[in-house]
Amino acid sequence: STCRHGTAYSVIESHYSEILTETTYFVPLEQKFEYWRLKITNESQRRRELSIFSFCEFTNQWDTFQDRVNLQYSLFIVRGELTGENLLRIAIQDNLTPDTGGDFISDIARHCWMGMAEAPIDGFDTSREAFLGLYRGYHNPLVVESGRSTNSKAYGDNACGSLATSGSLQPGETREILILLGIGDAHTVGKRTFAEFGSLEQADAELEKLKTHWHAQLESLRVDTPDADLNHTINVWGLYNCLVNFAWSRSASLVYNGERDGLGFRDSVQDILGVAAAIPEPARERLELMLTGQLSNGGAMPIVRPFEHNPGHEEAPHPDEYRSDDCLWFFNALPAYVNETGDLDFYNKMLPYADRGEATVFDHLRRALDFNLERSGVNGLPCGLSADWNDTLRLGYHGESLFVAFQLRLGLATYAEIAERLGKPGQKSWALAEQKKLDASIQACAWDGEWFIWAIGEDGTVYGTQDSEEGQVYLNTQVWSVISEAATADQSARCMRTVHERLATPYGLMLCAPPVIKTSIDVMRAVVFNPGIKENAGIFNHTQGWGVMAACMLGDGDRAYEYYRASMPAAYNDRAELRQIEPYVQGQTTYSTYSPRGGNSRTSWLTGAAAWSYFSATQYILGIKPEVDGLRIDPCIPSSWNSFSAVRRFRNQSFHITVHNPHGVCKGVVRMLIDGEQAAGNLVPAGLPGKEHQVDVWLGP
């Protein structure tokens, strides 16, 4: 068998006993049903008689906890039958409301349907027990083994959907069958949908439409570098991963089973970084939604539920539930959107707070800064509150987070830049004055000689010092000291040297080292994890892009590229048995060398690693950075690269960029031509006449 995944579709091919099957699975755009397109070929030299069965097991109650836990209820609410329209009808709590013809009848009475096209129906089953048989499983279902459906009608217990057909295939003959599986009552929604979409011709058209839609979104950047794995990461899978992450947040996947019914605040804001160039308008809409999830005190609701969000009337969380980093991610995400679109006036847009009142987007940013400044500890650093980015860290509510201090510093610097753009000198002066005070606090208590500390507990305990037995070096505070530019030049060099010596592995950068084993769970809940996994000295892939960014900011393209490839999924395409998850999308965590299974990865698809990986590769390694005034070209590449090229779509223009590196350096633009004309620096101005432009850049010592 071979499984191939494309952009929003999958194809599974199987060879068995000289029969070749190829099944294409996809959900058409803006529809609530899916196609299973089966192609069967007889590769033998004799006629073959075949029986073919579709199969899907359904949940009984769509609420995951009710379905899996409350069996004294969920096993008695489902019915299944074959309708007069030759569609399977699976009904949940069918007595509650009459069919309205909509996809959903109510929040608890729901229906599914299944239909077969291009073949006659010989039989059906809607009872899982009847289909599988007693003491059997999916490897040997009774119906398939016997070659006959039982025409079972589910009435409680567990439902399934199976339609059967049969026929003969001559040598070399190919036959195609189409299965449609959708949401809604079979009598109305299913009948209507099947009539419109139930043909191979329509399936062809819908698949082509789907591919065109996704490929158009992937055209914001195309690259050609000496690294083929990096090329298809940037051109297809890295961005596709970001787009899927943006759509689903952390709600439903092979790991998240649907119980997350809203958008996690901090995750959803960071996800913008990966998609701002590809889908700027949806990115803006998501930003507006998340801004209205900010409270008037500057904090944030932990979860924003779009389907019931009521800005201006939401209840604020209990003070003990605030996280310190939530709204500080706006200082990464908002400039990403504004720089991409040039929509500087977005900062002047009025938006409500979650609980009461409204303000401009710019004022929302001021309240985000005030929130952390007003909640600072005895050392002048922001309090960690219920959690900073690291949810396993328990410093006490008034313990101080150095990571958030670096975030706050970046926020103050970004706010000052925006204030200058908007002609608000007073706000710029305020931000720079606060930044100066914060810098003094950081330098007074956070540098430990070779690296920055981790945090300071509410009781005054300093974590992450040279005297610490466990969790001695913490990745986030080292790389963010560079990203925020809080570190001096000497500190930057030293702490990043420590990162390389103490945290770098062949599979990525560990979050901390050594692991915590004896540390109290009241301080670091990461102790619940095995050493070398997740926050306990594991490789938390969310942070890998930060390591790449920090190395690039120091001009070390070789090291940045080393870090990037160590955690790049495509680098494991021919070592899939090591990584153990899809070799084309990000996973949340990778086991580090502190575990006996270094390199194994888990929790794929829905992770903040997707956005930061794509952002760090495109804007820091390749150095193609949108700014309000244009497109800055400032690569930091491996010294072994002689050149690379890219086509960047930017504000309805296409820029064909070629970077030349004749001297084998990592960084430093010494010359740039725009359409053959010498440019003053390395900024391609916005608003050039024409749709297509050639940009040539030379790096040099």
Side-chain angles (χ1 to χ4, degrees), residues 46 74 79 89 96 148 179 187 267 314 367 402 433 453 513 546 570 580 585 607 628 649 691:
R46 67 188 191 281
S74 64
R79 297 180 189 174
R89 180 177 185 264
L96 292 183
R148 296 187 305 276
I179 298 292
H187 290 313
D267 287 333
E314 296 284 359
R367 292 304 296 138
L402 182 58
I453 64 168
W546 301 342
Q580 297 185 349
V585 295
T607 165
V628 171
R649 186 181 65 203
K691 291 291 187 181

mmCIF file with all atom_site columns, all heavy atoms in Angstrom, residues 46 74 79 89 96 148 179 187 267 314 367 402 433 453 513 546 570 580 585 607 628 649 691:
data_model
loop_
_atom_site.group_PDB
_atom_site.id
_atom_site.type_symbol
_atom_site.label_atom_id
_atom_site.label_alt_id
_atom_site.label_comp_id
_atom_site.label_asym_id
_atom_site.label_entity_id
_atom_site.label_seq_id
_atom_site.pdbx_PDB_ins_code
_atom_site.Cartn_x
_atom_site.Cartn_y
_atom_site.Cartn_z
_atom_site.occupancy
_atom_site.B_iso_or_equiv
_atom_site.pdbx_formal_charge
_atom_site.auth_seq_id
_atom_site.auth_comp_id
_atom_site.auth_asym_id
_atom_site.auth_atom_id
_atom_site.pdbx_PDB_model_num
ATOM 1   N N   . ARG A 1 46  ? -7.263  -13.118 -15.851 1.00 0.00 ? 46  ARG A N   1
ATOM 2   C CA  . ARG A 1 46  ? -8.545  -13.817 -15.830 1.00 0.00 ? 46  ARG A CA  1
ATOM 3   C C   . ARG A 1 46  ? -9.636  -12.882 -15.308 1.00 0.00 ? 46  ARG A C   1
ATOM 4   O O   . ARG A 1 46  ? -9.345  -11.881 -14.657 1.00 0.00 ? 46  ARG A O   1
ATOM 5   C CB  . ARG A 1 46  ? -8.462  -15.060 -14.951 1.00 0.00 ? 46  ARG A CB  1
ATOM 6   C CG  . ARG A 1 46  ? -8.259  -14.771 -13.468 1.00 0.00 ? 46  ARG A CG  1
ATOM 7   C CD  . ARG A 1 46  ? -7.991  -16.063 -12.692 1.00 0.00 ? 46  ARG A CD  1
ATOM 8   N NE  . ARG A 1 46  ? -8.036  -15.877 -11.244 1.00 0.00 ? 46  ARG A NE  1
ATOM 9   C CZ  . ARG A 1 46  ? -7.053  -15.365 -10.522 1.00 0.00 ? 46  ARG A CZ  1
ATOM 10  N NH1 . ARG A 1 46  ? -5.925  -14.982 -11.121 1.00 0.00 ? 46  ARG A NH1 1
ATOM 11  N NH2 . ARG A 1 46  ? -7.182  -15.246 -9.210  1.00 0.00 ? 46  ARG A NH2 1
ATOM 12  N N   . SER A 1 74  ? -25.278 7.114   25.681  1.00 0.00 ? 74  SER A N   1
ATOM 13  C CA  . SER A 1 74  ? -24.941 7.247   24.263  1.00 0.00 ? 74  SER A CA  1
ATOM 14  C C   . SER A 1 74  ? -25.176 5.973   23.458  1.00 0.00 ? 74  SER A C   1
ATOM 15  O O   . SER A 1 74  ? -25.256 6.027   22.229  1.00 0.00 ? 74  SER A O   1
ATOM 16  C CB  . SER A 1 74  ? -23.480 7.696   24.104  1.00 0.00 ? 74  SER A CB  1
ATOM 17  O OG  . SER A 1 74  ? -22.594 6.717   24.614  1.00 0.00 ? 74  SER A OG  1
ATOM 18  N N   . ARG A 1 79  ? -30.081 5.513   15.416  1.00 0.00 ? 79  ARG A N   1
ATOM 19  C CA  . ARG A 1 79  ? -30.817 4.642   14.504  1.00 0.00 ? 79  ARG A CA  1
ATOM 20  C C   . ARG A 1 79  ? -30.138 4.663   13.141  1.00 0.00 ? 79  ARG A C   1
ATOM 21  O O   . ARG A 1 79  ? -29.544 5.660   12.754  1.00 0.00 ? 79  ARG A O   1
ATOM 22  C CB  . ARG A 1 79  ? -32.258 5.113   14.322  1.00 0.00 ? 79  ARG A CB  1
ATOM 23  C CG  . ARG A 1 79  ? -33.120 5.098   15.570  1.00 0.00 ? 79  ARG A CG  1
ATOM 24  C CD  . ARG A 1 79  ? -34.517 5.587   15.252  1.00 0.00 ? 79  ARG A CD  1
ATOM 25  N NE  . ARG A 1 79  ? -35.318 5.784   16.441  1.00 0.00 ? 79  ARG A NE  1
ATOM 26  C CZ  . ARG A 1 79  ? -36.542 6.309   16.433  1.00 0.00 ? 79  ARG A CZ  1
ATOM 27  N NH1 . ARG A 1 79  ? -37.089 6.681   15.284  1.00 0.00 ? 79  ARG A NH1 1
ATOM 28  N NH2 . ARG A 1 79  ? -37.227 6.450   17.553  1.00 0.00 ? 79  ARG A NH2 1
ATOM 29  N N   . ARG A 1 89  ? -29.152 6.388   6.221   1.00 0.00 ? 89  ARG A N   1
ATOM 30  C CA  . ARG A 1 89  ? -29.534 7.471   7.134   1.00 0.00 ? 89  ARG A CA  1
ATOM 31  C C   . ARG A 1 89  ? -29.151 7.065   8.554   1.00 0.00 ? 89  ARG A C   1
ATOM 32  O O   . ARG A 1 89  ? -29.636 6.061   9.075   1.00 0.00 ? 89  ARG A O   1
ATOM 33  C CB  . ARG A 1 89  ? -31.034 7.724   7.054   1.00 0.00 ? 89  ARG A CB  1
ATOM 34  C CG  . ARG A 1 89  ? -31.546 8.836   7.968   1.00 0.00 ? 89  ARG A CG  1
ATOM 35  C CD  . ARG A 1 89  ? -33.046 9.057   7.749   1.00 0.00 ? 89  ARG A CD  1
ATOM 36  N NE  . ARG A 1 89  ? -33.535 10.191  8.510   1.00 0.00 ? 89  ARG A NE  1
ATOM 37  C CZ  . ARG A 1 89  ? -34.118 10.105  9.714   1.00 0.00 ? 89  ARG A CZ  1
ATOM 38  N NH1 . ARG A 1 89  ? -34.264 8.908   10.290  1.00 0.00 ? 89  ARG A NH1 1
ATOM 39  N NH2 . ARG A 1 89  ? -34.537 11.188  10.333  1.00 0.00 ? 89  ARG A NH2 1
ATOM 40  N N   . LEU A 1 96  ? -36.302 14.086  18.690  1.00 0.00 ? 96  LEU A N   1
ATOM 41  C CA  . LEU A 1 96  ? -36.361 15.397  19.334  1.00 0.00 ? 96  LEU A CA  1
ATOM 42  C C   . LEU A 1 96  ? -36.991 16.484  18.486  1.00 0.00 ? 96  LEU A C   1
ATOM 43  O O   . LEU A 1 96  ? -37.790 17.279  18.964  1.00 0.00 ? 96  LEU A O   1
ATOM 44  C CB  . LEU A 1 96  ? -34.953 15.839  19.758  1.00 0.00 ? 96  LEU A CB  1
ATOM 45  C CG  . LEU A 1 96  ? -34.339 15.000  20.885  1.00 0.00 ? 96  LEU A CG  1
ATOM 46  C CD1 . LEU A 1 96  ? -32.989 15.553  21.272  1.00 0.00 ? 96  LEU A CD1 1
ATOM 47  C CD2 . LEU A 1 96  ? -35.256 14.967  22.104  1.00 0.00 ? 96  LEU A CD2 1
ATOM 48  N N   . ARG A 1 148 ? -21.389 -10.935 1.893   1.00 0.00 ? 148 ARG A N   1
ATOM 49  C CA  . ARG A 1 148 ? -22.797 -10.530 1.857   1.00 0.00 ? 148 ARG A CA  1
ATOM 50  C C   . ARG A 1 148 ? -23.104 -9.567  3.000   1.00 0.00 ? 148 ARG A C   1
ATOM 51  O O   . ARG A 1 148 ? -22.722 -9.815  4.158   1.00 0.00 ? 148 ARG A O   1
ATOM 52  C CB  . ARG A 1 148 ? -23.717 -11.758 1.988   1.00 0.00 ? 148 ARG A CB  1
ATOM 53  C CG  . ARG A 1 148 ? -23.625 -12.750 0.850   1.00 0.00 ? 148 ARG A CG  1
ATOM 54  C CD  . ARG A 1 148 ? -24.691 -13.830 0.988   1.00 0.00 ? 148 ARG A CD  1
ATOM 55  N NE  . ARG A 1 148 ? -24.611 -14.492 2.290   1.00 0.00 ? 148 ARG A NE  1
ATOM 56  C CZ  . ARG A 1 148 ? -23.783 -15.498 2.579   1.00 0.00 ? 148 ARG A CZ  1
ATOM 57  N NH1 . ARG A 1 148 ? -22.955 -15.947 1.643   1.00 0.00 ? 148 ARG A NH1 1
ATOM 58  N NH2 . ARG A 1 148 ? -23.789 -16.057 3.770   1.00 0.00 ? 148 ARG A NH2 1
ATOM 59  N N   . ILE A 1 179 ? -18.332 7.093   -3.408  1.00 0.00 ? 179 ILE A N   1
ATOM 60  C CA  . ILE A 1 179 ? -19.056 7.139   -2.143  1.00 0.00 ? 179 ILE A CA  1
ATOM 61  C C   . ILE A 1 179 ? -19.103 8.593   -1.677  1.00 0.00 ? 179 ILE A C   1
ATOM 62  O O   . ILE A 1 179 ? -18.092 9.304   -1.712  1.00 0.00 ? 179 ILE A O   1
ATOM 63  C CB  . ILE A 1 179 ? -18.373 6.276   -1.068  1.00 0.00 ? 179 ILE A CB  1
ATOM 64  C CG1 . ILE A 1 179 ? -18.346 4.816   -1.500  1.00 0.00 ? 179 ILE A CG1 1
ATOM 65  C CG2 . ILE A 1 179 ? -19.066 6.444   0.287   1.00 0.00 ? 179 ILE A CG2 1
ATOM 66  C CD1 . ILE A 1 179 ? -19.702 4.158   -1.558  1.00 0.00 ? 179 ILE A CD1 1
ATOM 67  N N   . HIS A 1 187 ? -33.009 12.282  4.112   1.00 0.00 ? 187 HIS A N   1
ATOM 68  C CA  . HIS A 1 187 ? -34.244 12.545  3.370   1.00 0.00 ? 187 HIS A CA  1
ATOM 69  C C   . HIS A 1 187 ? -34.214 13.888  2.647   1.00 0.00 ? 187 HIS A C   1
ATOM 70  O O   . HIS A 1 187 ? -34.874 14.053  1.614   1.00 0.00 ? 187 HIS A O   1
ATOM 71  C CB  . HIS A 1 187 ? -35.442 12.516  4.322   1.00 0.00 ? 187 HIS A CB  1
ATOM 72  C CG  . HIS A 1 187 ? -35.766 11.152  4.842   1.00 0.00 ? 187 HIS A CG  1
ATOM 73  N ND1 . HIS A 1 187 ? -35.844 10.045  4.028   1.00 0.00 ? 187 HIS A ND1 1
ATOM 74  C CD2 . HIS A 1 187 ? -36.015 10.706  6.109   1.00 0.00 ? 187 HIS A CD2 1
ATOM 75  C CE1 . HIS A 1 187 ? -36.134 8.984   4.762   1.00 0.00 ? 187 HIS A CE1 1
ATOM 76  N NE2 . HIS A 1 187 ? -36.243 9.360   6.024   1.00 0.00 ? 187 HIS A NE2 1
ATOM 77  N N   . ASP A 1 267 ? -2.125  30.922  21.321  1.00 0.00 ? 267 ASP A N   1
ATOM 78  C CA  . ASP A 1 267 ? -1.812  30.118  20.143  1.00 0.00 ? 267 ASP A CA  1
ATOM 79  C C   . ASP A 1 267 ? -2.360  30.762  18.876  1.00 0.00 ? 267 ASP A C   1
ATOM 80  O O   . ASP A 1 267 ? -1.675  30.841  17.848  1.00 0.00 ? 267 ASP A O   1
ATOM 81  C CB  . ASP A 1 267 ? -2.386  28.708  20.281  1.00 0.00 ? 267 ASP A CB  1
ATOM 82  C CG  . ASP A 1 267 ? -1.621  27.857  21.281  1.00 0.00 ? 267 ASP A CG  1
ATOM 83  O OD1 . ASP A 1 267 ? -0.428  28.118  21.478  1.00 0.00 ? 267 ASP A OD1 1
ATOM 84  O OD2 . ASP A 1 267 ? -2.222  26.938  21.856  1.00 0.00 ? 267 ASP A OD2 1
ATOM 85  N N   . GLU A 1 314 ? -18.543 40.124  27.759  1.00 0.00 ? 314 GLU A N   1
ATOM 86  C CA  . GLU A 1 314 ? -17.974 38.890  28.285  1.00 0.00 ? 314 GLU A CA  1
ATOM 87  C C   . GLU A 1 314 ? -17.566 39.081  29.752  1.00 0.00 ? 314 GLU A C   1
ATOM 88  O O   . GLU A 1 314 ? -17.188 40.178  30.174  1.00 0.00 ? 314 GLU A O   1
ATOM 89  C CB  . GLU A 1 314 ? -16.739 38.471  27.471  1.00 0.00 ? 314 GLU A CB  1
ATOM 90  C CG  . GLU A 1 314 ? -17.032 38.138  26.020  1.00 0.00 ? 314 GLU A CG  1
ATOM 91  C CD  . GLU A 1 314 ? -17.692 36.783  25.851  1.00 0.00 ? 314 GLU A CD  1
ATOM 92  O OE1 . GLU A 1 314 ? -17.900 36.085  26.863  1.00 0.00 ? 314 GLU A OE1 1
ATOM 93  O OE2 . GLU A 1 314 ? -18.004 36.419  24.697  1.00 0.00 ? 314 GLU A OE2 1
ATOM 94  N N   . ARG A 1 367 ? -2.742  49.006  26.396  1.00 0.00 ? 367 ARG A N   1
ATOM 95  C CA  . ARG A 1 367 ? -3.292  48.298  27.548  1.00 0.00 ? 367 ARG A CA  1
ATOM 96  C C   . ARG A 1 367 ? -2.578  46.965  27.767  1.00 0.00 ? 367 ARG A C   1
ATOM 97  O O   . ARG A 1 367 ? -2.415  46.516  28.905  1.00 0.00 ? 367 ARG A O   1
ATOM 98  C CB  . ARG A 1 367 ? -4.792  48.053  27.371  1.00 0.00 ? 367 ARG A CB  1
ATOM 99  C CG  . ARG A 1 367 ? -5.640  49.301  27.416  1.00 0.00 ? 367 ARG A CG  1
ATOM 100 C CD  . ARG A 1 367 ? -5.417  50.092  28.719  1.00 0.00 ? 367 ARG A CD  1
ATOM 101 N NE  . ARG A 1 367 ? -5.837  49.327  29.879  1.00 0.00 ? 367 ARG A NE  1
ATOM 102 C CZ  . ARG A 1 367 ? -5.144  49.284  31.017  1.00 0.00 ? 367 ARG A CZ  1
ATOM 103 N NH1 . ARG A 1 367 ? -3.986  49.928  31.137  1.00 0.00 ? 367 ARG A NH1 1
ATOM 104 N NH2 . ARG A 1 367 ? -5.597  48.599  32.045  1.00 0.00 ? 367 ARG A NH2 1
ATOM 105 N N   . LEU A 1 402 ? 11.347  35.934  33.383  1.00 0.00 ? 402 LEU A N   1
ATOM 106 C CA  . LEU A 1 402 ? 12.293  36.653  32.532  1.00 0.00 ? 402 LEU A CA  1
ATOM 107 C C   . LEU A 1 402 ? 11.885  36.547  31.068  1.00 0.00 ? 402 LEU A C   1
ATOM 108 O O   . LEU A 1 402 ? 12.082  37.490  30.290  1.00 0.00 ? 402 LEU A O   1
ATOM 109 C CB  . LEU A 1 402 ? 13.704  36.098  32.738  1.00 0.00 ? 402 LEU A CB  1
ATOM 110 C CG  . LEU A 1 402 ? 14.808  36.795  31.937  1.00 0.00 ? 402 LEU A CG  1
ATOM 111 C CD1 . LEU A 1 402 ? 14.878  38.289  32.259  1.00 0.00 ? 402 LEU A CD1 1
ATOM 112 C CD2 . LEU A 1 402 ? 16.151  36.123  32.174  1.00 0.00 ? 402 LEU A CD2 1
ATOM 113 N N   . ALA A 1 433 ? 11.054  55.140  27.710  1.00 0.00 ? 433 ALA A N   1
ATOM 114 C CA  . ALA A 1 433 ? 11.403  55.336  29.120  1.00 0.00 ? 433 ALA A CA  1
ATOM 115 C C   . ALA A 1 433 ? 11.134  54.068  29.921  1.00 0.00 ? 433 ALA A C   1
ATOM 116 O O   . ALA A 1 433 ? 11.940  53.663  30.781  1.00 0.00 ? 433 ALA A O   1
ATOM 117 C CB  . ALA A 1 433 ? 10.617  56.513  29.696  1.00 0.00 ? 433 ALA A CB  1
ATOM 118 N N   . ILE A 1 453 ? 19.208  33.717  33.498  1.00 0.00 ? 453 ILE A N   1
ATOM 119 C CA  . ILE A 1 453 ? 18.454  32.829  34.375  1.00 0.00 ? 453 ILE A CA  1
ATOM 120 C C   . ILE A 1 453 ? 17.131  32.436  33.726  1.00 0.00 ? 453 ILE A C   1
ATOM 121 O O   . ILE A 1 453 ? 16.754  32.951  32.670  1.00 0.00 ? 453 ILE A O   1
ATOM 122 C CB  . ILE A 1 453 ? 18.192  33.491  35.741  1.00 0.00 ? 453 ILE A CB  1
ATOM 123 C CG1 . ILE A 1 453 ? 17.295  34.740  35.564  1.00 0.00 ? 453 ILE A CG1 1
ATOM 124 C CG2 . ILE A 1 453 ? 19.498  33.837  36.429  1.00 0.00 ? 453 ILE A CG2 1
ATOM 125 C CD1 . ILE A 1 453 ? 16.759  35.295  36.858  1.00 0.00 ? 453 ILE A CD1 1
ATOM 126 N N   . ALA A 1 513 ? 17.988  22.105  30.226  1.00 0.00 ? 513 ALA A N   1
ATOM 127 C CA  . ALA A 1 513 ? 18.866  21.001  30.587  1.00 0.00 ? 513 ALA A CA  1
ATOM 128 C C   . ALA A 1 513 ? 19.580  21.383  31.888  1.00 0.00 ? 513 ALA A C   1
ATOM 129 O O   . ALA A 1 513 ? 19.872  22.562  32.104  1.00 0.00 ? 513 ALA A O   1
ATOM 130 C CB  . ALA A 1 513 ? 19.895  20.730  29.481  1.00 0.00 ? 513 ALA A CB  1
ATOM 131 N N   . TRP A 1 546 ? 12.574  30.256  17.202  1.00 0.00 ? 546 TRP A N   1
ATOM 132 C CA  . TRP A 1 546 ? 13.206  31.328  17.979  1.00 0.00 ? 546 TRP A CA  1
ATOM 133 C C   . TRP A 1 546 ? 14.725  31.161  17.998  1.00 0.00 ? 546 TRP A C   1
ATOM 134 O O   . TRP A 1 546 ? 15.466  32.143  17.915  1.00 0.00 ? 546 TRP A O   1
ATOM 135 C CB  . TRP A 1 546 ? 12.672  31.325  19.413  1.00 0.00 ? 546 TRP A CB  1
ATOM 136 C CG  . TRP A 1 546 ? 11.189  31.513  19.490  1.00 0.00 ? 546 TRP A CG  1
ATOM 137 C CD1 . TRP A 1 546 ? 10.364  32.010  18.516  1.00 0.00 ? 546 TRP A CD1 1
ATOM 138 C CD2 . TRP A 1 546 ? 10.324  31.184  20.588  1.00 0.00 ? 546 TRP A CD2 1
ATOM 139 N NE1 . TRP A 1 546 ? 9.062   32.019  18.943  1.00 0.00 ? 546 TRP A NE1 1
ATOM 140 C CE2 . TRP A 1 546 ? 9.006   31.519  20.202  1.00 0.00 ? 546 TRP A CE2 1
ATOM 141 C CE3 . TRP A 1 546 ? 10.534  30.646  21.856  1.00 0.00 ? 546 TRP A CE3 1
ATOM 142 C CZ2 . TRP A 1 546 ? 7.912   31.328  21.058  1.00 0.00 ? 546 TRP A CZ2 1
ATOM 143 C CZ3 . TRP A 1 546 ? 9.454   30.454  22.701  1.00 0.00 ? 546 TRP A CZ3 1
ATOM 144 C CH2 . TRP A 1 546 ? 8.161   30.793  22.305  1.00 0.00 ? 546 TRP A CH2 1
ATOM 145 N N   . ALA A 1 570 ? 10.959  17.634  6.783   1.00 0.00 ? 570 ALA A N   1
ATOM 146 C CA  . ALA A 1 570 ? 11.387  17.042  5.516   1.00 0.00 ? 570 ALA A CA  1
ATOM 147 C C   . ALA A 1 570 ? 12.779  16.433  5.598   1.00 0.00 ? 570 ALA A C   1
ATOM 148 O O   . ALA A 1 570 ? 13.125  15.562  4.794   1.00 0.00 ? 570 ALA A O   1
ATOM 149 C CB  . ALA A 1 570 ? 11.338  18.090  4.402   1.00 0.00 ? 570 ALA A CB  1
ATOM 150 N N   . GLN A 1 580 ? 8.830   9.105   13.321  1.00 0.00 ? 580 GLN A N   1
ATOM 151 C CA  . GLN A 1 580 ? 7.615   8.359   13.647  1.00 0.00 ? 580 GLN A CA  1
ATOM 152 C C   . GLN A 1 580 ? 6.318   9.159   13.485  1.00 0.00 ? 580 GLN A C   1
ATOM 153 O O   . GLN A 1 580 ? 5.267   8.695   13.904  1.00 0.00 ? 580 GLN A O   1
ATOM 154 C CB  . GLN A 1 580 ? 7.696   7.767   15.068  1.00 0.00 ? 580 GLN A CB  1
ATOM 155 C CG  . GLN A 1 580 ? 8.824   6.760   15.235  1.00 0.00 ? 580 GLN A CG  1
ATOM 156 C CD  . GLN A 1 580 ? 8.829   6.083   16.576  1.00 0.00 ? 580 GLN A CD  1
ATOM 157 O OE1 . GLN A 1 580 ? 8.119   6.494   17.492  1.00 0.00 ? 580 GLN A OE1 1
ATOM 158 N NE2 . GLN A 1 580 ? 9.639   5.053   16.717  1.00 0.00 ? 580 GLN A NE2 1
ATOM 159 N N   . VAL A 1 585 ? 4.996   17.656  8.145   1.00 0.00 ? 585 VAL A N   1
ATOM 160 C CA  . VAL A 1 585 ? 4.379   18.678  8.979   1.00 0.00 ? 585 VAL A CA  1
ATOM 161 C C   . VAL A 1 585 ? 5.024   18.680  10.358  1.00 0.00 ? 585 VAL A C   1
ATOM 162 O O   . VAL A 1 585 ? 5.660   17.717  10.767  1.00 0.00 ? 585 VAL A O   1
ATOM 163 C CB  . VAL A 1 585 ? 2.858   18.486  9.126   1.00 0.00 ? 585 VAL A CB  1
ATOM 164 C CG1 . VAL A 1 585 ? 2.159   18.675  7.791   1.00 0.00 ? 585 VAL A CG1 1
ATOM 165 C CG2 . VAL A 1 585 ? 2.533   17.125  9.722   1.00 0.00 ? 585 VAL A CG2 1
ATOM 166 N N   . THR A 1 607 ? 0.176   22.838  16.035  1.00 0.00 ? 607 THR A N   1
ATOM 167 C CA  . THR A 1 607 ? 1.198   23.282  16.969  1.00 0.00 ? 607 THR A CA  1
ATOM 168 C C   . THR A 1 607 ? 1.732   24.632  16.531  1.00 0.00 ? 607 THR A C   1
ATOM 169 O O   . THR A 1 607 ? 1.822   24.934  15.334  1.00 0.00 ? 607 THR A O   1
ATOM 170 C CB  . THR A 1 607 ? 2.358   22.264  17.051  1.00 0.00 ? 607 THR A CB  1
ATOM 171 O OG1 . THR A 1 607 ? 3.482   22.886  17.688  1.00 0.00 ? 607 THR A OG1 1
ATOM 172 C CG2 . THR A 1 607 ? 2.801   21.800  15.670  1.00 0.00 ? 607 THR A CG2 1
ATOM 173 N N   . VAL A 1 628 ? 6.405   48.189  6.235   1.00 0.00 ? 628 VAL A N   1
ATOM 174 C CA  . VAL A 1 628 ? 5.388   49.147  5.793   1.00 0.00 ? 628 VAL A CA  1
ATOM 175 C C   . VAL A 1 628 ? 5.809   49.815  4.495   1.00 0.00 ? 628 VAL A C   1
ATOM 176 O O   . VAL A 1 628 ? 4.996   50.016  3.578   1.00 0.00 ? 628 VAL A O   1
ATOM 177 C CB  . VAL A 1 628 ? 5.124   50.199  6.892   1.00 0.00 ? 628 VAL A CB  1
ATOM 178 C CG1 . VAL A 1 628 ? 4.226   51.318  6.366   1.00 0.00 ? 628 VAL A CG1 1
ATOM 179 C CG2 . VAL A 1 628 ? 4.478   49.544  8.110   1.00 0.00 ? 628 VAL A CG2 1
ATOM 180 N N   . ARG A 1 649 ? 5.068   37.203  -3.846  1.00 0.00 ? 649 ARG A N   1
ATOM 181 C CA  . ARG A 1 649 ? 3.887   38.023  -4.133  1.00 0.00 ? 649 ARG A CA  1
ATOM 182 C C   . ARG A 1 649 ? 3.708   39.009  -2.981  1.00 0.00 ? 649 ARG A C   1
ATOM 183 O O   . ARG A 1 649 ? 3.601   38.619  -1.824  1.00 0.00 ? 649 ARG A O   1
ATOM 184 C CB  . ARG A 1 649 ? 2.653   37.132  -4.258  1.00 0.00 ? 649 ARG A CB  1
ATOM 185 C CG  . ARG A 1 649 ? 1.390   37.865  -4.707  1.00 0.00 ? 649 ARG A CG  1
ATOM 186 C CD  . ARG A 1 649 ? 0.229   36.893  -4.780  1.00 0.00 ? 649 ARG A CD  1
ATOM 187 N NE  . ARG A 1 649 ? -0.118  36.370  -3.456  1.00 0.00 ? 649 ARG A NE  1
ATOM 188 C CZ  . ARG A 1 649 ? -0.748  35.231  -3.235  1.00 0.00 ? 649 ARG A CZ  1
ATOM 189 N NH1 . ARG A 1 649 ? -1.078  34.454  -4.253  1.00 0.00 ? 649 ARG A NH1 1
ATOM 190 N NH2 . ARG A 1 649 ? -1.040  34.827  -2.003  1.00 0.00 ? 649 ARG A NH2 1
ATOM 191 N N   . LYS A 1 691 ? 3.693   45.221  -12.616 1.00 0.00 ? 691 LYS A N   1
ATOM 192 C CA  . LYS A 1 691 ? 3.304   44.056  -11.832 1.00 0.00 ? 691 LYS A CA  1
ATOM 193 C C   . LYS A 1 691 ? 4.448   43.095  -11.549 1.00 0.00 ? 691 LYS A C   1
ATOM 194 O O   . LYS A 1 691 ? 4.409   42.343  -10.583 1.00 0.00 ? 691 LYS A O   1
ATOM 195 C CB  . LYS A 1 691 ? 2.186   43.296  -12.559 1.00 0.00 ? 691 LYS A CB  1
ATOM 196 C CG  . LYS A 1 691 ? 0.854   44.042  -12.611 1.00 0.00 ? 691 LYS A CG  1
ATOM 197 C CD  . LYS A 1 691 ? 0.229   44.135  -11.224 1.00 0.00 ? 691 LYS A CD  1
ATOM 198 C CE  . LYS A 1 691 ? -1.169  44.724  -11.283 1.00 0.00 ? 691 LYS A CE  1
ATOM 199 N NZ  . LYS A 1 691 ? -1.769  44.825  -9.916  1.00 0.00 ? 691 LYS A NZ  1
#
